[in-house]
Amino acid sequence: MNGDEEFFDAVTEANQRVAGVTRVDTSKSNGIGKVGERPPQENGIQKHRTSLPAPMFTRNDFSVWSILKRCIGLELSKITMPIAFNEPLSFLQRITEYMEHVHLVHRASCQPQPLERMQCVAAFAVSAVASQWERTGKPFNPLLGETYELIREDLGFRFISEQVSHHPPVSAFYSEGLHQDFLFHGSIYPKLKFWGKSVEAEPRGTITLELLRHNEAYTWSNPTCCVHNVIIGKLWIEQYGTVEILNHRTGDKCVLHFKPCGLFGTELHKVEGHIQDKNKRKLFIIYGKWTEGLWGIDPAAYESFRKQERRGDPLRRAKLDDGAEKADSDVVDAAPEAQETVQVIPGSKLLWRVNTRPPNSAQMYNFTSFTVSLNELQTGMEKILAPTDCRLRPDIRGMENGNMDLASQEKERLEEKQREARRERAKEQAEWQTRWFRQGRNPHTGTPDWLYAGGYFERDFSGCPDIY
């Protein structure tokens, strides 16, 4: 018995609260009327739902430690986790949240100068993680062969992703502008580790943005995300690490530092960095918070402001009481107090500001308005989607509809179905064949990558696997 199966056996009892298997009624998630009826339109633009079918469940009665005590130091992507940890989305849908602020890509495509384009691309890279703020639920691990598509004519893009590997888990995605202005693609290898009081997610893999009108390609990787107090205390999230965005045509580079929280919480959510040319000359300073917005300013103006600030307000260093620090560290990683919003330097340029979340976001797993719409299954959509699309997953649909017992048993059934399929392939010595992506090398970095093979939107789904 391998480690995955051993842990699965240990948590089966936590998941098995209801016997038998019941199919999910997906009609609960849209309520859009009769079969074949078109979704509501407003001024020619399709309207999307603004809330989930059921509110978020409470985790108060669930013993997290009874499960996680077996996982310290292990990679969580290889562990079967109970549904109490999840939010009703697949990781493929979580990747799609990169597109919430796609207007920044359209704006970049329209800029005449490389520096202005890099400013927009940097803002887009930071905006891609903004939706993770206060999102403490874990997305469902995609099943091998699972897909997700999204077409948003109002936002000017279409998107397709596929789970191309299970161990290690690899998710590949591809998006294109509906006006042929950009391509956005990559493959993500999320590495999850549990460290006793926190869970760390390192999103390995290269992200590529191509601005077709300018024959430019930009590549980068996302920062590390850490969820604190998964055992006891208030859950809170930080992003940290250095993100480097390279323009492969000009050699310009944007270096962004996602600041760790720090001892007193003063650096929480902060992002600071700069844009430099191929000779490492600083061209533009960028600062802000990934939870709020991003601003930029000329380097000379930035240095002048900082000098004045230092002369007028000398640094004050506080000393933390040793006893209080020890007491805190013994129990929880205290959630830092929210600091004042970004101090905007006079003369700065606003690059991006986060979208306001819906008023009922806290009851919807802290989803943004864009995220709320991702698992919506509109009337007649089943006839158009690939049978492997996330929207058709019964465990996610059950959780979204508030039926946690059903979601748990469906999750267990799907995982067992996946294991059985893997055993059958091993018996027949057959290799898994991906459908929409192929292994290759990134054309700009030369590193291993998963590249879109094309053909998805022609909608020939006859050879798709039965994974649900």
Side-chain angles (χ1 to χ4, degrees):
M1 181 180 291
N2 61 31
D4 299 346
E5 292 169 340
E6 183 177 345
F7 186 84
F8 173 76
D9 291 340
V11 300
T12 297
E13 184 177 350
N15 285 330
Q16 284 181 330
R17 290 181 287 174
V18 178
V21 174
T22 307
R23 295 294 174 185
V24 177
D25 178 8
T26 55
S27 65
K28 289 183 182 178
S29 290
N30 51 64
I32 297 179
K34 300 175 183 178
V35 175
E37 187 177 339
R38 289 179 60 84
Q41 304 275 323
E42 183 175 349
N43 299 326
I45 298 297
Q46 182 178 312
K47 292 173 65 177
H48 297 275
R49 69 182 184 183
T50 57
S51 63
L52 297 179
M56 176 181 172
F57 73 99
T58 176
R59 295 188 176 101
N60 293 342
D61 299 329
F62 186 78
S63 176
V64 176
W65 179 242
S66 66
I67 303 300
L68 286 184
K69 64 184 178 183
R70 303 171 183 267
C71 306
I72 295 176
L74 297 180
E75 185 189 335
L76 293 187
S77 60
K78 295 181 179 180
I79 302 299
T80 301
M81 303 297 288
I83 206 160
F85 287 93
N86 289 92
E87 62 181 19
L89 287 179
S90 168
F91 183 70
L92 296 183
Q93 292 165 311
R94 175 71 77 93
I95 292 175
T96 313
E97 293 181 68
Y98 289 171
M99 308 305 293
E100 178 168 352
H101 298 275
V102 70
H103 67 276
L104 295 168
V105 177
H106 297 308
R107 184 190 301 169
S109 184
C110 296
Q111 300 303 315
Q113 299 301 321
L115 177 59
E116 295 168 334
R117 292 195 291 276
M118 180 63 92
Q119 292 170 11
C120 296
V121 173
F124 177 67
V126 174
S127 76
V129 302
S131 66
Q132 295 182 28
W133 180 48
E134 295 189 331
R135 293 274 291 284
T136 53
K138 175 184 176 294
F140 282 70
N141 290 337
L143 301 168
L144 185 61
E146 186 175 311
T147 61
Y148 182 73
E149 71 159 275
L150 184 65
I151 301 175
R152 289 289 298 262
E153 294 183 7
D154 55 330
L155 300 179
F157 75 88
R158 63 184 185 181
F159 182 101
I160 174 63
S161 57
E162 179 182 4
Q163 189 70 7
V164 293
S165 174
H166 186 60
H167 288 315
V170 182
S171 306
F173 68 91
Y174 169 87
S175 180
E176 59 189 23
L178 296 180
H179 304 291
Q180 291 75 50
D181 53 342
F182 76 86
L183 299 178
F184 180 57
H185 52 92
S187 48
I188 306 296
Y189 309 64
K191 303 286 286 188
L192 303 177
K193 284 264 180 119
F194 174 54
W195 297 115
K197 291 186 293 183
S198 62
V199 173
E200 186 179 73
E202 181 186 354
R204 300 180 182 181
T206 301
I207 295 172
T208 303
L209 174 65
E210 301 181 34
L211 298 181
L212 301 180
R213 295 172 186 168
H214 303 281
N215 193 30
E216 286 181 342
Y218 302 78
T219 57
W220 69 92
S221 295
N222 279 334
T224 295
C225 177
C226 187
V227 181
H228 293 270
N229 296 338
V230 293
I231 304 298
I232 188 172
K234 182 181 179 182
L235 290 165
W236 60 280
I237 291 177
E238 64 174 329
Q239 307 265 1
Y240 46 79
T242 299
V243 172
E244 294 189 353
I245 306 169
L246 177 63
N247 182 331
H248 288 264
R249 185 178 71 83
T250 66
D252 293 351
K253 181 186 288 187
C254 179
V255 181
L256 296 171
H257 302 289
F258 285 72
K259 301 281 191 172
C261 172
L263 191 57
F264 303 108
T266 56
E267 302 294 290
L268 184 66
H269 303 151
K270 282 189 177 180
V271 181
E272 295 178 357
H274 64 272
I275 299 173
Q276 63 187 40
D277 63 18
K278 62 182 179 181
N279 298 316
K280 298 186 178 181
R281 182 172 63 94
K282 289 186 180 181
L283 305 175
F284 197 70
I285 302 298
I286 293 176
Y287 65 95
K289 291 185 177 182
W290 60 267
T291 54
E292 294 183 27
L294 215 57
W295 287 261
I297 193 170
D298 176 78
Y302 178 82
E303 288 302 323
S304 175
F305 178 82
R306 290 304 180 207
K307 285 180 182 177
Q308 292 178 2
E309 188 181 46
R310 285 192 290 269
R311 284 198 297 266
D313 185 16
L315 292 175
R316 296 188 297 271
R317 299 185 181 277
K319 186 175 181 180
L320 186 68
D321 178 76
D322 290 338
E325 181 184 2
K326 286 181 182 177
D328 243 1
S329 62
D330 285 344
V331 183
V332 297
D333 294 330
E337 292 292 325
Q339 302 295 314
E340 69 278 3
T341 55
V342 178
Q343 180 187 17
V344 179
I345 301 171
S348 293
K349 171 184 179 181
L350 176 65
L351 302 179
W352 158 78
R353 194 188 295 276
V354 71
N355 290 333
T356 303
R357 293 193 177 181
N360 54 343
S361 179
Q363 286 76 50
M364 299 189 299
Y365 304 87
N366 290 307
F367 284 179
T368 67
S369 295
F370 180 84
T371 307
V372 167
S373 70
L374 291 180
N375 203 47
E376 184 176 13
L377 190 63
Q378 296 164 344
T379 304
M381 189 179 280
E382 304 97 316
K383 300 175 183 177
I384 301 172
L385 294 173
T388 49
D389 195 278
C390 302
R391 297 176 184 87
L392 306 177
R393 266 188 77 158
D395 52 353
I396 296 178
R397 187 63 59 190
M399 185 178 191
E400 183 184 89
N401 287 334
N403 193 335
M404 300 302 294
D405 293 339
L406 177 60
S408 293
Q409 74 184 58
E410 282 293 304
K411 179 174 181 286
E412 182 187 334
R413 182 184 66 82
L414 292 176
E415 289 167 348
E416 179 54 37
K417 181 180 175 72
Q418 180 170 243
R419 281 190 289 272
E420 180 59 31
R422 185 167 65 241
R423 287 191 289 266
E424 286 297 318
R425 288 195 303 274
K427 189 184 302 181
E428 298 172 6
Q429 296 184 328
E431 292 289 328
W432 173 262
Q433 298 295 320
T434 56
R435 183 66 194 271
W436 309 112
F437 292 81
R438 58 177 174 80
Q439 278 186 298
R441 292 199 171 270
N442 186 291
H444 309 289
T445 65
T447 55
D449 205 349
W450 285 84
L451 309 175
Y452 179 54
Y456 177 87
F457 294 101
E458 295 172 12
R459 303 202 177 277
D460 177 9
F461 301 137
S462 55
C464 288
D466 173 18
I467 60 175
Y468 301 143

